[in-house]
Protein backbone atom coordinates (compact mmCIF):
# COMPACT_ATOMS: atom_id res chain seq x y z
CA UNK A 1 0.00 0.00 0.00
CA UNK A 2 1.44 3.35 -1.05
CA UNK A 3 1.61 5.82 1.82
CA UNK A 4 2.46 9.48 2.28
CA UNK A 5 5.98 8.38 3.24
CA UNK A 6 6.38 6.55 -0.09
CA UNK A 7 5.24 9.62 -2.01
CA UNK A 8 7.74 11.80 -0.16
CA UNK A 9 10.42 9.17 -0.77
CA UNK A 10 9.79 9.30 -4.53
CA UNK A 11 11.14 12.85 -4.50
CA UNK A 12 14.03 12.07 -2.16
CA UNK A 13 15.07 9.24 -4.50
CA UNK A 14 14.53 11.27 -7.66
CA UNK A 15 11.86 8.83 -8.84
CA UNK A 16 9.28 10.51 -11.07
CA UNK A 17 5.79 9.17 -10.55
CA UNK A 18 2.35 9.24 -12.13
CA UNK A 19 -0.99 10.14 -10.63
CA UNK A 20 -4.27 9.62 -12.50
CA UNK A 21 -7.79 10.61 -11.73
CA UNK A 22 -10.21 7.72 -11.13
CA UNK A 23 -13.94 7.92 -10.66
CA UNK A 24 -15.23 4.35 -10.48
CA UNK A 25 -14.44 0.83 -9.30
CA UNK A 26 -13.46 -0.98 -12.53
CA UNK A 27 -11.10 1.78 -13.60
CA UNK A 28 -9.60 1.97 -10.13
CA UNK A 29 -8.93 -1.79 -10.29
CA UNK A 30 -7.23 -1.46 -13.69
CA UNK A 31 -5.10 1.53 -12.66
CA UNK A 32 -4.17 -0.15 -9.40
CA UNK A 33 -3.10 -3.32 -11.23
CA UNK A 34 -1.16 -1.15 -13.70
CA UNK A 35 0.89 0.11 -10.76
CA UNK A 36 -0.27 3.73 -10.70
CA UNK A 37 0.72 4.75 -7.16
CA UNK A 38 -1.74 7.58 -6.56
CA UNK A 39 -5.39 7.75 -7.66
CA UNK A 40 -7.11 11.11 -7.36
CA UNK A 41 -10.89 11.21 -7.17
CA UNK A 42 -10.81 14.68 -8.69
CA UNK A 43 -13.70 17.08 -8.56
CA UNK A 44 -13.26 16.94 -12.33
CA UNK A 45 -15.76 14.11 -11.76
CA UNK A 46 -18.24 16.95 -12.25
CA UNK A 47 -17.34 17.71 -15.87
CA UNK A 48 -15.83 14.40 -16.97
CA UNK A 49 -18.39 11.97 -15.62
CA UNK A 50 -21.48 13.76 -14.32
CA UNK A 51 -21.98 16.20 -17.20
CA UNK A 52 -21.81 19.46 -15.23
CA UNK A 53 -20.51 22.59 -16.98
CA UNK A 54 -17.80 23.22 -14.37
CA UNK A 55 -16.49 21.66 -11.17
CA UNK A 56 -18.53 23.99 -8.97
CA UNK A 57 -21.82 22.05 -8.69
CA UNK A 58 -20.43 18.66 -7.63
CA UNK A 59 -21.56 17.85 -4.09
CA UNK A 60 -19.97 16.15 -1.09
CA UNK A 61 -22.41 13.25 -1.49
CA UNK A 62 -21.45 12.74 -5.14
CA UNK A 63 -17.74 12.91 -4.32
CA UNK A 64 -18.16 10.47 -1.42
CA UNK A 65 -20.12 8.04 -3.59
CA UNK A 66 -17.35 7.91 -6.25
CA UNK A 67 -14.53 7.93 -3.69
CA UNK A 68 -16.04 4.82 -2.06
CA UNK A 69 -16.09 3.03 -5.42
CA UNK A 70 -12.46 3.94 -6.13
CA UNK A 71 -11.32 3.05 -2.60
CA UNK A 72 -12.94 -0.39 -2.97
CA UNK A 73 -10.89 -0.91 -6.13
CA UNK A 74 -7.53 0.35 -4.91
CA UNK A 75 -5.49 -2.35 -3.20
CA UNK A 76 -2.02 -0.81 -3.47
CA UNK A 77 -2.63 2.72 -4.71
CA UNK A 78 -3.11 5.67 -2.41
CA UNK A 79 -6.55 7.25 -2.85
CA UNK A 80 -6.76 11.03 -2.62
CA UNK A 81 -10.20 12.65 -2.53
CA UNK A 82 -10.65 16.16 -3.89
CA UNK A 83 -12.62 18.39 -1.56
CA UNK A 84 -15.41 19.97 -3.62
CA UNK A 85 -16.30 23.65 -3.85
CA UNK A 86 -17.72 25.05 -0.58
CA UNK A 87 -16.98 21.90 1.40
CA UNK A 88 -14.06 23.64 3.14
CA UNK A 89 -14.16 27.35 2.37
CA UNK A 90 -16.92 28.34 4.83
CA UNK A 91 -15.07 27.47 8.03
CA UNK A 92 -12.16 25.41 9.26
CA UNK A 93 -14.57 23.31 11.36
CA UNK A 94 -16.69 22.42 8.33
CA UNK A 95 -13.53 21.66 6.35
CA UNK A 96 -12.34 19.26 9.05
CA UNK A 97 -15.73 17.56 9.23
CA UNK A 98 -15.90 17.08 5.46
CA UNK A 99 -12.29 15.95 5.11
CA UNK A 100 -12.97 13.48 7.90
CA UNK A 101 -15.96 12.10 5.99
CA UNK A 102 -13.72 11.23 3.04
CA UNK A 103 -11.42 9.22 5.32
CA UNK A 104 -14.02 7.78 7.70
CA UNK A 105 -16.93 7.08 5.37
CA UNK A 106 -15.31 6.68 1.95
CA UNK A 107 -11.93 5.08 2.61
CA UNK A 108 -9.74 7.87 1.20
CA UNK A 109 -6.16 8.04 2.46
CA UNK A 110 -5.74 11.79 1.93
CA UNK A 111 -7.61 14.84 0.66
CA UNK A 112 -6.68 17.50 -1.88
CA UNK A 113 -7.47 21.14 -1.21
CA UNK A 114 -7.24 23.98 -3.73
CA UNK A 115 -5.46 27.19 -2.79
CA UNK A 116 -3.69 28.47 0.33
CA UNK A 117 -6.15 27.24 2.99
CA UNK A 118 -3.30 27.28 5.46
CA UNK A 119 -5.14 27.04 8.76
CA UNK A 120 -7.30 24.17 7.56
CA UNK A 121 -4.38 22.26 6.03
CA UNK A 122 -2.38 22.66 9.26
CA UNK A 123 -5.29 21.43 11.41
CA UNK A 124 -5.95 18.42 9.17
CA UNK A 125 -2.31 17.39 9.22
CA UNK A 126 -2.32 17.68 13.04
CA UNK A 127 -5.39 15.45 13.11
CA UNK A 128 -3.69 12.83 10.94
CA UNK A 129 -5.42 13.57 7.64
CA UNK A 130 -2.75 13.97 4.94
CA UNK A 131 -3.31 16.87 2.56
CA UNK A 132 -2.26 17.37 -1.05
CA UNK A 133 -2.10 21.08 -1.94
CA UNK A 134 -3.05 22.57 -5.31
CA UNK A 135 -1.87 25.91 -6.71
CA UNK A 136 -1.71 27.68 -10.07
CA UNK A 137 -4.97 27.22 -11.89
CA UNK A 138 -7.52 26.35 -9.23
CA UNK A 139 -10.73 25.62 -11.12
CA UNK A 140 -12.97 26.13 -8.10
CA UNK A 141 -12.03 29.83 -8.24
CA UNK A 142 -12.96 30.02 -11.90
CA UNK A 143 -15.06 33.15 -11.33
CA UNK A 144 -12.35 34.91 -9.34
CA UNK A 145 -8.89 36.33 -10.08
CA UNK A 146 -7.01 33.73 -8.10
CA UNK A 147 -8.21 30.77 -10.12
CA UNK A 148 -8.10 32.10 -13.63
CA UNK A 149 -4.94 34.05 -13.07
CA UNK A 150 -2.44 35.87 -15.12
CA UNK A 151 -0.29 32.78 -15.63
CA UNK A 152 -2.88 30.48 -17.05
CA UNK A 153 -2.91 29.71 -20.77
CA UNK A 154 -6.06 30.99 -22.44
CA UNK A 155 -7.18 27.61 -23.79
CA UNK A 156 -7.08 26.17 -20.27
CA UNK A 157 -9.02 29.07 -18.76
CA UNK A 158 -11.83 28.71 -21.23
CA UNK A 159 -11.94 24.98 -20.84
CA UNK A 160 -12.00 25.16 -17.04
CA UNK A 161 -14.69 27.79 -17.19
CA UNK A 162 -16.72 25.30 -19.23
CA UNK A 163 -16.96 27.74 -22.10
CA UNK A 164 -16.35 26.88 -25.71
CA UNK A 165 -16.79 30.41 -27.01
CA UNK A 166 -13.59 31.99 -25.82
CA UNK A 167 -15.46 33.68 -22.97
CA UNK A 168 -12.55 33.46 -20.52
CA UNK A 169 -10.68 36.54 -19.31
CA UNK A 170 -8.55 36.67 -22.42
CA UNK A 171 -5.64 39.03 -22.88
CA UNK A 172 -4.52 38.86 -19.28
CA UNK A 173 -0.83 39.69 -18.86
CA UNK A 174 1.65 36.80 -18.83
CA UNK A 175 4.92 36.09 -17.10
CA UNK A 176 7.49 38.63 -18.14
CA UNK A 177 5.39 41.69 -17.48
CA UNK A 178 4.79 43.06 -14.03
CA UNK A 179 1.46 41.42 -13.28
CA UNK A 180 2.80 38.13 -14.53
CA UNK A 181 5.81 38.42 -12.23
CA UNK A 182 3.54 39.22 -9.30
CA UNK A 183 1.33 36.25 -10.08
CA UNK A 184 4.37 33.97 -10.31
CA UNK A 185 5.60 35.23 -6.93
CA UNK A 186 2.15 34.66 -5.45
CA UNK A 187 2.02 31.06 -6.68
CA UNK A 188 5.55 30.38 -5.35
CA UNK A 189 4.66 31.92 -1.97
CA UNK A 190 1.50 29.84 -1.78
CA UNK A 191 3.41 26.63 -2.52
CA UNK A 192 6.00 27.44 0.16
CA UNK A 193 3.30 28.26 2.71
CA UNK A 194 1.33 25.09 1.92
CA UNK A 195 4.47 23.02 2.40
CA UNK A 196 5.19 24.79 5.68
CA UNK A 197 1.82 23.88 7.20
CA UNK A 198 2.42 20.21 6.39
CA UNK A 199 1.00 19.22 2.98
CA UNK A 200 2.71 16.05 1.71
CA UNK A 201 2.64 17.05 -1.97
CA UNK A 202 1.44 19.92 -4.16
CA UNK A 203 -0.34 19.87 -7.53
CA UNK A 204 0.88 22.62 -9.87
CA UNK A 205 -1.72 23.27 -12.53
CA UNK A 206 -1.27 25.23 -15.77
CA UNK A 207 1.71 27.35 -14.83
CA UNK A 208 4.86 28.08 -16.84
CA UNK A 209 7.50 25.36 -16.76
CA UNK A 210 10.13 27.77 -15.40
CA UNK A 211 7.98 28.62 -12.40
CA UNK A 212 7.20 24.93 -11.78
CA UNK A 213 10.93 24.21 -11.89
CA UNK A 214 11.61 26.89 -9.29
CA UNK A 215 8.83 25.68 -6.99
CA UNK A 216 9.98 22.06 -7.36
CA UNK A 217 13.52 23.06 -6.40
CA UNK A 218 12.37 25.16 -3.43
CA UNK A 219 9.96 22.71 -1.74
CA UNK A 220 10.95 19.44 -0.08
CA UNK A 221 7.63 17.74 -0.86
CA UNK A 222 6.88 16.37 -4.34
CA UNK A 223 5.23 18.62 -6.90
CA UNK A 224 2.76 16.96 -9.27
CA UNK A 225 2.32 18.86 -12.51
CA UNK A 226 -0.53 19.16 -14.95
CA UNK A 227 0.30 21.63 -17.68
CA UNK A 228 3.30 22.70 -15.61
CA UNK A 229 6.13 21.35 -17.77
CA UNK A 230 8.67 18.58 -17.32
CA UNK A 231 10.45 19.62 -14.11
CA UNK A 232 7.84 18.50 -11.57
CA UNK A 233 8.45 15.42 -9.42
CA UNK A 234 5.30 13.73 -10.69
CA UNK A 235 2.70 14.25 -13.38
CA UNK A 236 -1.07 13.90 -13.23
CA UNK A 237 -3.57 13.51 -16.05
CA UNK A 238 -7.32 13.38 -16.06
CA UNK A 239 -8.28 9.81 -16.97
CA UNK A 240 -10.81 10.73 -19.64
CA UNK A 241 -8.13 12.83 -21.40
CA UNK A 242 -5.56 10.03 -21.11
CA UNK A 243 -8.00 7.55 -22.65
CA UNK A 244 -9.26 9.86 -25.38
CA UNK A 245 -12.79 9.86 -23.95
CA UNK A 246 -13.11 13.62 -23.47
CA UNK A 247 -14.90 15.58 -26.17
CA UNK A 248 -12.15 18.20 -26.11
CA UNK A 249 -8.63 17.33 -25.03
CA UNK A 250 -6.86 20.40 -23.59
CA UNK A 251 -3.36 21.25 -24.82
CA UNK A 252 -1.82 20.17 -21.54
CA UNK A 253 -3.12 16.59 -21.85
CA UNK A 254 -1.88 13.81 -24.08
CA UNK A 255 -4.35 11.10 -25.08
CA UNK A 256 -2.67 7.69 -24.92
CA UNK A 257 -5.69 5.88 -26.40
CA UNK A 258 -8.76 6.65 -28.51
CA UNK A 259 -11.55 5.12 -26.48
CA UNK A 260 -14.23 7.39 -28.00
CA UNK A 261 -13.60 5.65 -31.30
CA UNK A 262 -13.33 2.18 -29.72
CA UNK A 263 -16.63 2.60 -27.83
CA UNK A 264 -18.47 4.03 -30.84
CA UNK A 265 -17.22 1.18 -33.05
CA UNK A 266 -18.29 -1.45 -30.51
CA UNK A 267 -21.73 0.14 -30.10
CA UNK A 268 -22.25 0.38 -33.87
CA UNK A 269 -21.09 -3.24 -34.40
CA UNK A 270 -23.55 -4.44 -31.74
CA UNK A 271 -26.44 -2.43 -33.20
CA UNK A 272 -25.63 -3.74 -36.67
CA UNK A 273 -25.61 -7.39 -35.51
CA UNK A 274 -28.88 -6.87 -33.65
CA UNK A 275 -30.43 -5.39 -36.79
CA UNK A 276 -29.26 -8.26 -39.00
CA UNK A 277 -30.06 -10.97 -36.42
CA UNK A 278 -26.40 -12.03 -36.19
CA UNK A 279 -26.53 -11.48 -32.43
CA UNK A 280 -27.31 -13.40 -30.33
CA UNK A 281 -25.91 -16.42 -32.17
CA UNK A 282 -25.84 -20.03 -30.93
CA UNK A 283 -22.73 -19.45 -28.81
CA UNK A 284 -24.54 -16.80 -26.77
CA UNK A 285 -27.85 -18.56 -26.39
CA UNK A 286 -28.98 -20.85 -23.49
CA UNK A 287 -30.69 -24.08 -24.45
O1 LIG B 1 -10.06 17.42 -10.30
C1 LIG B 1 -9.03 17.10 -10.93
O2 LIG B 1 -9.05 16.28 -11.85
C2 LIG B 1 -7.79 17.76 -10.54
C3 LIG B 1 -6.58 17.48 -11.37
C4 LIG B 1 -6.62 18.30 -12.60
C5 LIG B 1 -5.33 17.68 -10.61
O3 LIG B 1 -7.76 18.51 -9.62
Amino acid sequence: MITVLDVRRFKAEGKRFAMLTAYDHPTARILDEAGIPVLLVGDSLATNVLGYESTLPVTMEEMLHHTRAVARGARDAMVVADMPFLSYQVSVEEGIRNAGRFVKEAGAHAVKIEGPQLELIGRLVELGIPVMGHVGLTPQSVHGDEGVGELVPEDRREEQAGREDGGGPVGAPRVGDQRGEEAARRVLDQALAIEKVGAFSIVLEAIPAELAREITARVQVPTIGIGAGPHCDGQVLVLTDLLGLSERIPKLAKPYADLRRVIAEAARAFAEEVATGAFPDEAHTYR
Side-chain angles (χ1 to χ4, degrees), residues 30-174:
I30 295 168
L31 300 180
D32 189 73
E33 278 170 11
I36 302 299
V38 189
L39 303 183
L40 170 68
V41 188
D43 64 351
S44 55
L45 168 76
T47 47
N48 294 322
V49 175
L50 300 182
Y52 291 122
E53 286 286 305
S54 76
T55 58
L56 301 188
V58 74
T59 63
M60 268 302 293
E61 298 312 318
E62 287 165 331
M63 289 298 300
L64 285 166
H65 179 70
H66 286 264
T67 303
R68 278 185 205 107
V70 170
R72 284 193 287 263
R75 308 222 169 118
D76 290 323
M78 173 177 199
V79 176
V80 181
D82 216 356
M83 295 201 61
F85 181 56
L86 285 194
S87 68
Y88 59 94
Q89 292 93 336
V90 175
S91 70
V92 169
E93 287 67 28
E94 206 170 313
I96 293 173
R97 200 166 298 115
N98 283 326
R101 291 191 71 195
F102 278 115
V103 175
K104 214 172 141 94
E105 297 175 30
H109 307 120
V111 295
K112 177 167 84 59
I113 292 178
E114 286 190 11
Q117 302 285 336
L118 303 180
E119 189 184 348
L120 173 62
I121 297 173
R123 290 288 308 282
L124 289 173
V125 174
E126 271 170 22
L127 292 168
I129 300 181
V131 178
M132 178 179 281
H134 183 159
V135 298
L137 180 76
T138 48
Q140 291 177 18
S141 314
V142 70
H143 298 306
D145 275 339
E146 292 286 315
V148 189
E150 292 81 359
L151 298 171
V152 174
E154 283 165 21
D155 73 323
R156 190 66 180 154
R157 288 183 229 153
E158 289 150 17
E159 183 248 342
Q160 288 290 356
R163 288 180 283 220
E164 306 263 347
D165 61 359
V170 291
R174 299 300 186 76

